[in-house]
Amino acid sequence: MLTSLLHQYRASILLLILAFAFVTRILFVDQPEEYYFDEVYHSVTARLIAENDPRAFEWWNTAPEQDTAIDWLHPPVAKYIQASTVLLFGANSFGFRFSSVLFGVVVILLTYHVAQRLFNNTRLSLLAAALASFDGLLLAQSRITMNDIHVTAFILLSTLCFLTYLHNQNSKWLLLTGVITGITIATKWSGILILPAFVALLFFNWLASGNQIQVKKIAQVVGALGIIPLIVFISSYALMFAQGKDLAHFIELQKQVWWYQTTLSATHPAQSRPWEWVLNTSPVWYHVDYISDELRGNIYAQGNLPLYWLGAIAVLAASLHVARKKITAFTASRNASYVQRLQAITRSVVTEPVAPLVLLYFILWVPWLFSPRIMFFYHYAPAVPFMCILLAWWLLRLQQKIKHGSYLIWTAFLVIGVWFVAWYPYWTGVPTPIIFHENIYQYFDVWK
């Protein structure tokens, strides 16, 4: 009965989830009016791009405003989008942050569609989108002028295009995947992490099919996932080239970015290690407003604790589920040839919808374990939507195995929702009594 109603009214329910996400992201988004955290880089650079100022692509200039710096370290797509909203709404806090609000809502929408493409289960997809809308990290990144929510949206969009290609084998979707992947990398270098996942999934599907791979097919994949993203990435600097910079400047700029990112030895009080992100133990303190002796407004990039802890269990459960499928296939084909056993194992993976999610989640998280530079909790943002889908899958799976399992889903959903409401002020800077900060929001030292 419930499943039928959800399917019948899925569009309306999804619109309600998106409306909730939009309202919670745009409410008081213009506060504080001054730059905070990395806005001192991103906002001033978005303004330079809006003014067609070539300093946005030069690494040697001094700060255009006091206590700021030019962000030449990241590719320009997010800055183009931010500059467009500056041109629409002005060079003010709302204009700088509005694109993050929009992309924050798009992340929720794409979370639904990725889940629906994999599972074709309206209940699961709506639950995943709702869970993502309750996350504090995605919320915080949707209210600040940074590029993390933009790259998260493009990662989800490229994933959706790629999964559609795997579903219908229409080469147009593979080409579109290459274009969106290029835009993803042109938003933030870390977007390149999804390419190995796509290649691995293609390889697994090829092995599972048992078909002889063709040179034409290899050329198509190399062109779509290798050449096209590179062309799109270079083309994203069209404004820079139009300002008179040449290819030599482009190459030197990328060298400067690589040198900076790999040799940076600076430390930061809010830096963290990737294993801490999973447990939500290292939030990033973005801003504080000491309103009075009794009131304080904080902005923290911090996850929804019950969502993350349950999500970590779900990721583990999904990983074991995929591993068990492989072991079962291996055991069942023990009398077959090596090639047949390999095909059986890979077929057990590619026919399991949860397998791509596990791969994508880990490919967006594990490489950070080996990063030479300092890292922050917000680097975990692209992996969070995949975690939310895995959590929705796990909860529905438990419902089928446990008596009165529906109560489990509603309890988990209620706890996560209540946590969101209770911690919303802490993630958005809404003034709250200082006793809340000392005895609730900062109860553990690792949350300070």
Side-chain angles (χ1 to χ4, degrees), residues 347-376:
R347 193 176 295 116
S348 70
V349 173
V350 300
T351 57
E352 179 57 55
V354 79
L357 289 172
V358 173
L359 176 61
L360 286 161
Y361 171 83
F362 281 110
I363 204 71
L364 292 168
W365 173 64
V366 170
W368 290 105
L369 293 168
F370 309 98
S371 174
R373 55 154 291 165
I374 61 172
M375 291 162 289
F376 298 90

Side-chain angles (χ1 to χ4, degrees), residues 114-121 124 159 163 166 201 318 321-322 325 347-360 386 389-390 393 397:
V114 169
Q116 191 68 3
R117 168 53 65 190
L118 282 169
F119 296 97
N120 193 28
N121 184 322
L124 188 154
T159 299
L163 293 174
L166 290 182
L201 288 171
H321 176 77
V322 174
K325 287 280 186 178
R347 193 176 295 116
S348 70
V349 173
V350 300
T351 57
E352 179 57 55
V354 79
L357 289 172
V358 173
L359 176 61
L360 286 161
F386 298 101
I389 301 173
L390 288 170
W393 167 84
R397 187 175 173 83

Side-chain angles (χ1 to χ4, degrees), residues 99-255:
S99 77
S100 294
V101 172
L102 290 182
F103 273 74
V105 177
V106 169
V107 164
I108 309 304
L109 175 63
L110 290 173
T111 299
Y112 168 86
H113 283 294
V114 169
Q116 191 68 3
R117 168 53 65 190
L118 282 169
F119 296 97
N120 193 28
N121 184 322
T122 300
R123 190 179 184 189
L124 188 154
S125 303
L126 289 172
L127 178 58
L131 291 172
S133 72
F134 284 150
D135 180 45
L137 176 59
L138 294 179
L139 172 72
Q141 297 311 123
S142 302
R143 297 171 55 88
I144 189 172
T145 315
M146 292 174 64
N147 57 3
D148 297 271
I149 201 65
H150 300 79
V151 76
T152 301
F154 285 126
I155 284 173
L156 286 167
L157 182 57
S158 61
T159 299
L160 180 60
C161 292
F162 180 75
L163 293 174
T164 303
Y165 167 73
L166 290 182
H167 177 74
N168 60 27
Q169 293 297 304
N170 188 325
S171 59
K172 293 180 180 179
W173 285 102
L174 184 61
L175 294 175
L176 185 57
T177 299
V179 172
I180 303 301
T181 300
I183 295 174
T184 304
I185 301 169
T187 302
K188 193 168 184 177
W189 271 19
S190 57
I192 201 171
L193 293 175
I194 56 174
L195 275 178
F198 292 166
V199 172
L201 288 171
L202 282 173
F203 181 70
F204 292 153
N205 275 266
W206 167 67
L207 284 177
S209 68
N211 297 327
Q212 185 175 5
I213 195 161
Q214 302 173 350
V215 175
K216 180 181 178 181
K217 199 76 170 180
I218 295 176
Q220 187 181 70
V221 171
V222 171
L225 299 184
I227 298 174
I228 288 180
L230 178 61
I231 292 173
V232 172
F233 180 81
I234 297 173
S235 300
S236 70
Y237 285 86
L239 179 62
M240 182 192 76
F241 293 128
Q243 292 171 344
K245 302 292 193 300
D246 57 14
L247 189 60
H249 180 90
F250 168 81
I251 294 173
E252 184 58 33
L253 175 59
Q254 305 310 312
K255 288 181 179 179

Side-chain angles (χ1 to χ4, degrees), residues 17-29:
I17 294 172
L18 296 177
F20 169 80
F22 179 75
V23 170
T24 54
R25 280 149 179 75
I26 203 168
L27 196 63
F28 312 121
V29 74

